[in-house]
Amino acid sequence: AVLDNPFGILQYVFLYFGGPFYYFFGKGDTGILVSSIMGAVFIVTSLYYVFIYLKNSKFINTYGWLLSFIAYVGATAFVTAGGRLIFGATQALSSRYMTPVIFAWICIIIITIFHIYEGKLSTSKFNKTSKKLFFFFINLLILLIFVFQFRSLSNNSDVNFEKDVAALSIKMKVK
């Protein structure tokens, strides 16, 4: 799949990392577009932090474990894309893939907060107003994550579907 459809793999990985935003924006075409964009933002941001901190010896002790987890999730996305792309790139938006992605987003948020706190972004380009907007966005994102995660506790549609299929197969005497 990698050699046959490299752009499909890339799209799958973008959708994989942007998956939580698919649910935030009501699924559909808008959700797919936003999740693709946010997946690309995630990957670019992750690569930025890898390159910026590889030059710093403090990187290994402070951010290495967070970026290692992100790399693990990225490898998982890539390998999953290799096997699932035949079902379409939107397969990456399946809710069963969202837990590691949400944790990867949390890792990026943590790195960014420490990056700001350490003063790496305290230039004229990233002034107090920008910091406030960033923290507002982060708090909004965290709130959305909590709201959707708590919703999943009461949503049993997958279980109900499986029960319906099982009941129908029993009724039809499928063996």
Side-chain angles (χ1 to χ4, degrees):
V2 175
L3 297 176
D4 295 338
N5 191 359
F7 292 111
I9 296 283
L10 189 63
Q11 181 186 17
Y12 190 98
V13 172
F14 284 173
L15 287 172
Y16 189 94
F17 279 113
F21 294 93
Y22 174 72
Y23 294 95
F24 296 160
F25 284 88
K27 302 180 183 178
D29 292 337
T30 303
I32 290 172
L33 176 65
V34 171
S35 65
S36 293
I37 292 168
M38 292 307 292
V41 166
F42 180 89
I43 291 170
V44 167
T45 305
S46 299
L47 291 174
Y48 167 77
Y49 286 131
V50 166
F51 289 121
I52 213 123
Y53 287 115
L54 278 176
K55 297 176 184 177
N56 187 347
S57 62
K58 188 174 147 185
F59 163 77
I60 303 292
N61 296 329
T62 309
Y63 305 106
W65 59 277
L66 291 170
L67 290 172
S68 296
F69 179 75
I70 291 169
Y72 170 75
V73 175
T76 302
F78 185 75
V79 170
T80 303
R84 291 297 202 179
L85 190 58
I86 59 172
F87 301 115
T90 55
Q91 171 74 25
L93 299 170
S94 178
S95 63
R96 69 177 165 266
Y97 299 131
M98 290 305 108
T99 302
V101 173
I102 289 171
F103 283 117
W105 273 98
I106 290 170
C107 289
I108 284 293
I109 291 168
I110 290 169
I111 292 170
T112 303
I113 288 171
F114 281 114
H115 198 67
I116 291 170
Y117 178 74
E118 290 176 350
K120 305 269 193 242
L121 296 177
S122 60
T123 63
S124 60
K125 292 180 183 177
F126 204 83
N127 57 23
K128 287 184 180 183
T129 305
S130 298
K131 286 182 183 179
K132 287 179 183 176
L133 285 173
F134 171 76
F135 285 114
F136 172 77
F137 173 73
I138 293 303
N139 286 324
L140 180 64
L141 181 63
I142 291 170
L143 180 66
L144 285 171
I145 289 171
F146 277 122
V147 167
F148 280 90
Q149 284 299 89
F150 282 120
R151 265 195 213 166
S152 69
L153 295 175
S154 63
N155 184 359
N156 295 324
S157 61
D158 292 337
V159 173
N160 292 339
F161 174 76
E162 294 296 330
K163 287 179 181 178
D164 288 344
V165 170
L168 286 173
S169 63
I170 291 171
K171 181 74 174 170
M172 295 173 62
K173 298 180 182 177
V174 175
K175 293 184 181 192

